[in-house]
Amino acid sequence: MKRLAVYCGSATPADSRYVENAAEVGRTLAERGIGVVYGGGRLGLMGAVADGALAAGGEVIGVIPKALVDAEVAHRGLTELHVVDTMHQRKKAFTDLSDGFVTLPGGTGTMDELWEAMSWAQIGYHAKPVGLLNVAGYYDGLLTFVRTMGEVGFLRPQHQDLLIAADTLDDLLARMAAHQPIRTVGQMKAAEL
């Protein structure tokens, strides 16, 4: 994995563990020679990831919609900053520029990015690992929900391990590196769907 898209919040929560972890993720990826592709912002966890990677000499590519540049939230010290017109273009760029996806804590935008990465993998638009770093148990409820989707039958058995979740970055990166592409919906017959 030469580059990873990192999805995370633009907010700064009161609990400093989230910001500290985001900076650590950026630093660790840079130290391992893995470039960061992210939302291009300078605020919150986004800014912490970027600053952590940059401080460690890493490559950081931001992809940000023009509306957010205009709101003056763009990080101007990145290796590259791609300005796009829409969120759809942003998410496509994340997929095109990265070898996988790591999701840190965040809100609705982060969830949108995570679900799209998973959905696109199911359909076969990409065969890249989709990771989730469960910082301080933040995603415990989401992981329960993903299991429930499988138990009820809305997540096919061959897709139930699509989301690679771990509590530590080392474990997550090791599991993502061992990722094997899944059998996509496009490869299935109607009777299997």
Side-chain angles (χ1 to χ4, degrees):
M1 295 182 293
K2 294 181 181 176
R3 287 186 188 145
L4 289 174
V6 178
Y7 299 147
C8 59
S10 60
T12 303
D15 187 337
S16 64
R17 291 180 297 177
Y18 296 109
V19 175
E20 291 165 5
N21 178 267
E24 171 88 5
V25 166
R27 181 186 60 75
T28 301
L29 293 177
E31 288 173 351
R32 293 185 183 195
I34 301 171
V36 170
V37 179
Y38 86 117
R42 62 179 172 80
L43 305 175
L45 271 60
M46 276 196 212
V49 167
D51 290 342
L54 291 167
E59 173 192 52
V60 181
I61 300 172
V63 183
I64 190 167
K66 185 175 184 326
L68 295 179
V69 172
D70 294 344
E72 299 182 3
V73 299
H75 195 305
R76 299 295 184 172
L78 305 176
T79 309
E80 296 176 24
L81 182 64
H82 299 255
V83 179
V84 295
D85 291 325
T86 69
M87 292 297 279
H88 294 291
Q89 291 170 336
R90 180 192 214 183
K91 290 182 287 185
K92 183 176 183 321
F94 288 151
T95 302
D96 292 344
L97 293 168
S98 71
D99 301 311
F101 311 89
V102 172
T103 302
L104 305 181
T108 56
T110 303
M111 291 298 90
D112 176 52
E113 293 160 347
L114 171 64
W115 290 121
E116 186 157 292
M118 287 182 63
S119 176
W120 284 16
Q122 283 181 298
I123 294 168
Y125 290 169
H126 71 76
K128 301 172 183 183
V130 179
L132 181 121
L133 187 58
N134 190 21
V135 178
Y138 182 78
Y139 284 119
D140 287 350
L142 179 72
L143 293 171
T144 298
F145 176 64
V146 171
R147 281 190 298 277
T148 300
M149 285 193 300
E151 290 165 3
V152 171
F154 287 112
L155 187 60
R156 293 173 183 86
Q158 55 271 57
H159 299 153
Q160 289 180 16
D161 294 327
L162 178 65
L163 181 61
I164 302 167
D167 295 337
T168 68
L169 184 60
D170 285 342
D171 185 28
L172 182 62
L173 292 176
R175 292 179 58 208
M176 289 176 69
H179 167 74
Q180 295 296 317
I182 62 164
R183 188 156 180 247
T184 68
V185 170
Q187 296 167 327
M188 295 177 186
K189 304 289 183 206
E192 299 173 281
L193 301 174

